[in-house]
Amino acid sequence: MDIGTGLAAIGAGIAVGVTGLGAGLGEKDVGAAAVGAITEDMSLFGKSMVLMVLPETIVIFGLVVAILALFTLQ
């Protein structure tokens, strides 16, 4: 294994880790607001769940970047 492959693996790990951290921070705020909204009006449950899923798409993008980084070197 050469240094380029090792650096690509480190970059892939950072890509997934940072996007996971960002999604967690985003979901924290959205979750708190969703719980408050659902407490006021239960009909907002469906909209709240959609908004809770949106930050998770960032992690999927990070995973795609990590996969591309790992498989383009080989």
Side-chain angles (χ1 to χ4, degrees):
M1 185 178 289
D2 61 344
I3 190 146
T5 307
L7 289 175
I10 290 172
I14 290 173
V16 173
V18 171
T19 54
L21 182 65
L25 291 174
E27 221 168 296
K28 166 187 64 107
D29 297 332
V30 173
V35 168
I38 292 171
T39 303
E40 296 285 328
D41 186 10
M42 189 61 183
S43 68
L44 296 174
F45 180 76
K47 292 179 184 177
S48 307
M49 287 298 108
V50 170
L51 292 175
M52 285 292 294
V53 172
L54 281 176
E56 289 296 322
T57 58
I58 298 170
V59 179
I60 294 171
F61 294 146
L63 183 63
V64 168
V65 167
I67 289 171
L68 286 173
L70 289 177
F71 290 121
T72 55
L73 290 177
Q74 296 175 1

